[in-house]
Amino acid sequence: MLFNKRPQEIDLNNLPEHIAFIMDGNGRWAKKRGMPRLVGHNAGTETLKRIVKESKKLGIKYITFYAFSTENWKRPTDEVNGLMNILVKYIQSEINEIHSNEIKINILGDINRLPEYARQQVEYALDLTKDNQSMQFNIALNYGSRDEIVMAIKKIAENCVSGALEIDEIDEEMVSSYLYTAGMPDPDLLIRTSGEFRLSNFLLWQVAYTEFKFETIYWPDFNEAALKRSIIEYQNRNRRYGAI
Ligand code: FPP
């Protein structure tokens, strides 16, 4: 029919292997409704749950969520504590289902700065799921990309000084192996919600060839259909990696 284009479907043979998400707009979502910011973070957590499940269903191998940046400590104490409580509650309520789905949780960032009760919960989740292999679920917590790169440079320099490493051995692959994402493929697709068009110190090294998808909706309004639309758009793009 003339005006009835066939709906586009996801090509399951050409899925992005790794999708990264900047879950932005929780605060504005709540403000628009005259509610406290934490209501937005709770709504955003419901979206996170749905997207983890949908990604697993689709067969995505790696998913990465920017949950808390090294800069987020500057937010009011109530909001920081509220986010830590949300994280703990999330793990408590979801961990059994995550584990039974063979999903491995991994943290990008330094969890030593988290409050003790949150760190313990995160460590429990890491340990429980460490051998799972169906999907890797990365949570960026107290994460900053420049911080990560500085940490890698320091370790590489230490190894050069000690003689464990020759300067000529340093190449891109080696640098990647010193990052929190060591051993993982770089993201194929990065999705940021809320109409902001920036990276905010997220995976700067890893997104060299990533396709970006900026959504104008706030994170709590993102859903399975929006994820599928983004994947279809990704599949229609032409990735050249610098070639022609
Ligand atoms: C950005 O929105 C969102 C965050 C800084 C936190 C994201 C955290 C969650 C969705 C929940 C916690 C995570 C887990 C893993 C359970 P914003 O607050 O910057 O929104 P705004 O830009 O509209 O103010």
Side-chain angles (χ1 to χ4, degrees):
M1 267 193 291
L2 196 55
F3 296 110
N4 195 3
K5 265 178 55 188
R6 255 188 27 196
Q8 278 188 296
E9 295 291 336
I10 290 184
D11 174 0
L12 293 173
N13 295 314
N14 181 28
L15 285 172
E17 200 180 358
H18 185 173
I19 308 181
F21 299 88
I22 302 182
M23 310 183 276
D24 198 14
N26 295 341
R28 280 164 284 165
W29 183 91
K31 192 174 174 200
K32 210 171 90 181
R33 288 163 176 75
M35 292 192 288
R37 293 175 58 79
L38 279 172
V39 174
H41 292 312
N42 274 309
T45 304
E46 293 307 311
T47 302
L48 169 87
K49 286 182 193 170
R50 291 168 62 171
I51 296 304
V52 172
K53 287 171 195 171
E54 186 65 18
S55 302
K56 170 73 175 63
K57 213 166 100 190
L58 287 168
I60 307 295
K61 289 290 171 203
Y62 297 83
I63 48 173
T64 299
F65 294 85
Y66 204 4
F68 196 88
S69 75
T70 45
E71 288 73 37
N72 286 153
W73 297 109
K74 294 181 208 146
R75 294 191 176 201
T77 315
D78 280 359
E79 184 170 346
V80 170
N81 290 340
L83 281 166
M84 295 298 147
N85 288 333
I86 287 174
L87 171 71
V88 167
K89 261 195 349 220
Y90 171 76
I91 296 175
Q92 286 170 342
S93 70
E94 294 294 295
I95 194 64
N96 289 339
E97 192 178 334
I98 288 173
H99 187 42
S100 65
N101 277 304
E102 288 285 307
I103 298 171
K104 175 178 174 172
I105 293 186
N106 187 55
I107 300 295
L108 314 183
D110 179 8
I111 58 168
N112 289 316
R113 197 175 160 190
L114 300 189
E116 180 66 15
Y117 71 98
R119 192 173 55 78
Q120 276 179 7
Q121 202 56 235
V122 168
E123 279 173 352
Y124 166 70
L126 290 173
D127 189 54
L128 182 71
T129 64
K130 65 181 186 304
D131 298 321
N132 292 345
Q133 300 215 347
S134 77
M135 179 171 82
Q136 187 153 321
F137 170 16
N138 298 316
I139 307 173
L141 267 182
N142 186 26
Y143 174 84
S145 186
R146 287 186 169 185
D147 190 52
E148 175 186 39
I149 292 168
V150 169
M151 176 192 76
I153 291 170
K154 281 186 179 164
K155 283 192 197 149
I156 292 170
E158 271 167 27
N159 287 341
C160 286
V161 170
S162 76
L165 193 63
E166 294 290 330
I167 287 180
D168 284 344
E169 287 178 88
I170 302 171
D171 59 11
E172 292 184 11
E173 203 179 319
M174 172 168 294
V175 173
S176 296
S177 76
Y178 279 78
L179 302 176
Y180 290 119
T181 47
M184 302 175 204
D186 288 336
D188 301 290
L189 172 63
L190 179 137
I191 299 171
R192 179 174 191 151
T193 51
S194 94
E196 307 287 355
F197 305 122
R198 56 177 173 265
L199 283 174
S200 303
N201 204 14
F202 189 47
L203 303 176
L204 301 180
W205 171 274
Q206 295 89 337
V207 298
Y209 290 103
T210 299
E211 295 292 331
F212 293 170
K213 168 77 173 147
F214 294 104
E215 292 274 356
T216 51
I217 53 174
Y218 296 140
W219 177 252
D221 293 326
F222 192 78
N223 58 20
E224 293 86 343
L227 174 66
K228 287 185 187 161
R229 277 198 306 274
S230 298
I231 295 176
I232 291 168
E233 184 177 329
Y234 160 85
Q235 292 179 331
N236 286 322
R237 292 194 194 169
N238 182 4
R239 301 183 82 194
R240 289 190 297 275
Y241 300 96
I244 51 171

